[in-house]
Amino acid sequence: MTATIKAGGRAFIFDMDGTIVDNMAFHTKSWLAFFERRGQAIDGDEFFRATAGRQGHEIMRTYLGEHLTKEDTALLDAEKEELYRELYAPHLETVAGFEQFIAAAQEADVRLAVATAAPPANIVFTLDGLDLRRHFDAVVGAADVARGKPNPDVFLLAAERCGVPPEHCIVFEDAPLGVEAARRAGMRAVVLTTTLPAEAFAEFDNVILVARDFTELNIDALFASGAVATSPTEAE
């Protein structure tokens, strides 16, 4: 059921991979191994910048050919994601301060959502593996929208399900395509530098704060902010 949008509501919308968990290096490793099986050498840094936030089937068609059918990409996605889960399972944990931050947000009556390009199996792996799903008012993934980031679909649906207007939502992201998706959705963004440095996001006028992890964040300050800021430790 879609929630009724409340004028006074506020929401935090979290990307999952690279934001709730610091796992993008493992995703990159699994992609490199996946393409190596097919005789393709991929530059990891360049690949991340071009694809983080896009859905698996979009990436498959870009790198393996537009001729691939939906059934083809589904099988390839399953292979790649199994590789990723095998690699990351021993390291599964939240980014520093995340659980304390969302507990404080709930105390402040902020609605919480996850908006990710991840397939259902990876959402289960992460949110249920860490017993986090119970904290969220909405969880939106690749299976719920037709287009991945930088299209705004996943963030707009998360806001709708939370019952909060886009302008009262703050997105937490680690990738440029995700920040661009938030911009297109009319949402401010907080960047975590789990994967890329602050300068990788210099072009985005919707970024209100750049931080290393959730221990550096203050809820009231985030909602009051309309300007780009960098946390003191990140500026050092």
Side-chain angles (χ1 to χ4, degrees), residues 30-202:
S30 64
W31 276 114
L32 295 181
F34 172 85
F35 284 119
E36 186 176 352
R37 289 178 177 180
R38 289 156 178 82
Q40 292 192 37
I42 302 293
D43 179 89
D45 291 340
E46 181 180 324
F47 181 82
F48 172 81
R49 292 173 187 268
T51 64
R54 297 179 67 195
Q55 295 183 5
H57 69 90
E58 296 170 325
I59 297 171
M60 295 298 181
R61 289 197 177 103
T62 296
Y63 285 82
L64 297 179
E66 293 293 336
H67 65 281
L68 293 173
T69 66
K70 184 177 180 180
E71 291 74 20
D72 292 335
T73 59
L75 289 172
L76 294 168
D77 283 345
E79 177 188 342
K80 181 269 164 188
E81 298 305 341
E82 184 177 356
L83 274 171
Y84 153 70
R85 291 190 294 271
E86 289 175 0
L87 286 169
Y88 186 55
H91 310 278
L92 182 63
E93 64 178 355
T94 56
V95 167
F98 177 75
E99 294 181 61
Q100 295 86 347
F101 181 73
I102 60 172
Q106 289 174 312
E107 286 290 320
D109 199 27
V110 178
R111 296 182 73 80
L112 304 175
V114 173
T116 174
N122 284 6
I123 295 174
V124 169
F125 170 74
T126 299
L127 296 188
D128 297 330
L130 292 168
D131 191 27
L132 294 175
R133 191 186 295 265
R134 59 194 171 90
H135 297 297
F136 295 102
D137 299 289
V139 175
V140 181
D144 300 301
V145 294
R147 305 181 301 174
K149 304 166 189 176
N151 295 294
D153 307 29
V154 69
F155 291 137
L156 291 173
L157 183 56
E160 180 183 340
R161 289 183 176 176
C162 283
V164 177
E167 63 269 23
H168 294 161
C169 298
I170 295 176
V171 166
F172 296 79
E173 264 286 354
D174 72 306
L177 291 182
V179 175
E180 172 61 14
R183 187 191 68 79
R184 295 184 189 183
M187 300 177 185
R188 291 168 288 170
V190 172
V191 168
L192 297 185
T193 55
T194 52
T195 314
L196 293 175
E199 50 266 30
F201 303 89

